Amino acid sequence: MVSAKGTKSHIHRIFCSVAQKFHSHQHYDAEKVERSKNIAGTSLRGKVAVITGSSKSIGAAIAKALAAEGANVIINYAKDGKSAEEVAQQINSASIASTSASISLPPTSTDVQKNGPNGVELPPQQQAVLIKADTSTISGGQYLLQETLRMFGRLDILILSAGLMGSKTLSEIDEPFFDAHFDSNVKAPLFLVKAAAEVMERPGGRIIFLSTSLTASSTLLPNTLCYVASKGAAEQIARVLAKDLGTKGFTVNTVAPGPVDTTLFRIGTPQHVIDSIAAQIPSHRIAEPEDIAPIVAFLASPAAQWVNGQILGVNGGYVV
């Protein structure tokens, strides 16, 4: 025989169990709704993006693609300031011409106009700014990050586009050649990511490495030894970081282009070799930097929040 007190206790336990399940369901739905709010398509409005090595070629195309989606972009260069200025001017001209763009950026050290109330310094309407820094060194990467934070106070997107691509066979390489590739393509980017991860906006930070489809290709030339080895190392670093930094709400991915028609690609490459490579691509052409940039822009966007730790071959079917 069950006492009234026992019956009351049993009913209380059932009620608590049902309430707990109901509360958990509500909590789950609330989290789901909150995640859906964070999915804002591919717009990068209000984001701050650093693109290393963005004065020309793929890096420049990436900077323009991110700016077209509304991001404030850092054009980074080590030597070619003229090309970097041209990229920034193109972006800023397009921003001014657009009636829908209204992005106010912090002042640079040399370009400030005193036109605010009581002579307060106001920044010019710029969407792209320049920072000279040698990102093949750890100190150069640290300087780039510090200047970005000084200007904008935040960092949302880090694109590791700068790199070294030398051509020497095993019999030709020496220690300085090897070290230069691994410093530029592996060591410096890793430590830049380490520093950036401490200050990037979370959740939602985006880190994207640039590699090469040669890491997965069977048509390799002997003189790509150090380049392919260093890019392969960077790919594996990105895979591991996706597991690590994913706990902070970041994504870490790698874009691996195939042959791209850049000055660097054409130097020392005979036209008949270029034609032969193009013949191996279904569309029978070499990629342009603008073929690569939209994929990077997508990975940098909120819409790509569920793409993490991936190596995306963007090569037109050159490597499948």
Side-chain angles (χ1 to χ4, degrees):
M1 182 176 182
V2 181
S3 65
K5 183 177 181 181
T7 302
K8 184 177 181 181
S9 177
H10 180 66
I11 293 173
H12 178 73
R13 285 196 301 272
I14 293 174
F15 176 78
C16 289
S17 177
V18 171
Q20 185 176 16
K21 290 181 179 179
F22 179 74
H23 175 74
S24 298
H25 179 71
Q26 278 192 323
H27 182 65
Y28 170 78
D29 284 349
E31 287 183 343
K32 190 174 181 180
V33 169
E34 189 62 30
R35 285 198 302 270
S36 67
K37 288 180 180 179
N38 292 332
I39 300 175
T42 58
S43 174
L44 299 175
R45 183 63 56 85
K47 304 290 186 181
V48 174
V50 166
I51 307 99
T52 67
S54 47
S55 63
K56 60 184 68 175
S57 301
I58 297 176
I62 291 172
K64 294 174 185 178
L66 267 60
E69 290 291 345
N72 304 325
V73 295
I74 301 294
I75 308 300
N76 162 245
Y77 69 101
K79 297 178 181 179
D80 193 352
K82 182 178 180 181
S83 294
E85 288 179 4
E86 290 175 356
V87 174
Q89 288 174 0
Q90 290 172 10
I91 291 173
N92 291 328
S93 295
S95 177
I96 293 172
S98 174
T99 56
S100 62
S102 179
I103 302 175
S104 184
L105 301 183
T108 65
S109 58
T110 58
D111 192 3
V112 176
Q113 46 187 330
K114 294 184 178 180
N115 55 2
N118 303 318
V120 175
E121 293 183 344
L122 294 180
Q125 296 298 311
Q126 291 183 322
Q127 194 178 351
V129 296
L130 309 179
I131 297 180
K132 180 180 181 180
D134 182 1
T135 56
S136 68
T137 67
I138 294 177
S139 60
Q142 300 294 317
Y143 176 77
L144 174 61
L145 181 60
Q146 291 167 5
E147 285 296 288
T148 299
L149 295 176
R150 183 183 68 81
M151 290 183 184
F152 294 95
R154 64 182 291 161
L155 173 64
D156 302 274
I157 302 162
L158 175 61
I159 313 293
L160 299 154
S161 177
L164 180 63
M165 184 175 68
S167 299
K168 286 187 178 182
T169 61
L170 177 62
S171 63
E172 297 169 328
I173 66 171
D174 53 20
E175 188 173 355
F177 184 83
F178 178 92
D179 288 345
H181 278 77
F182 277 80
D183 285 347
S184 297
N185 298 344
V186 183
K187 183 178 178 180
L190 173 61
F191 281 91
L192 177 54
V193 170
K194 180 181 179 181
E198 296 299 319
V199 298
M200 290 184 78
E201 295 295 318
R202 63 181 72 178
R206 298 285 187 265
I207 299 168
I208 303 170
F209 286 79
L210 267 290
S211 182
T212 170
S213 289
L214 290 177
T215 58
S217 174
S218 60
T219 55
L220 289 170
L221 294 175
N223 61 356
T224 61
L225 176 59
C226 288
Y227 175 64
V228 172
S230 61
K231 287 300 186 178
E235 289 181 357
Q236 299 312 308
I237 286 173
R239 291 179 64 237
V240 176
L241 290 180
K243 291 288 189 177
D244 184 353
L245 300 182
T247 61
K248 298 181 179 181
F250 300 161
T251 65
V252 185
N253 292 290
T254 303
V255 171
V260 180
D261 196 353
T262 64
T263 302
L264 186 61
F265 173 75
R266 285 190 172 272
I267 291 177
T269 306
Q271 186 60 45
H272 71 88
V273 173
I274 295 176
D275 293 340
S276 175
I277 293 173
Q280 300 175 54
I281 301 173
S283 60
H284 300 293
R285 71 174 179 88
I286 303 295
E288 299 291 339
E290 290 73 20
D291 293 316
I292 313 301
I295 306 303
V296 179
F298 168 73
L299 290 176
S301 74
Q305 67 173 353
W306 209 238
V307 183
N308 194 21
Q310 304 305 306
I311 302 170
L312 277 70
V314 187
N315 55 62
Y318 179 65
V319 179
V320 295

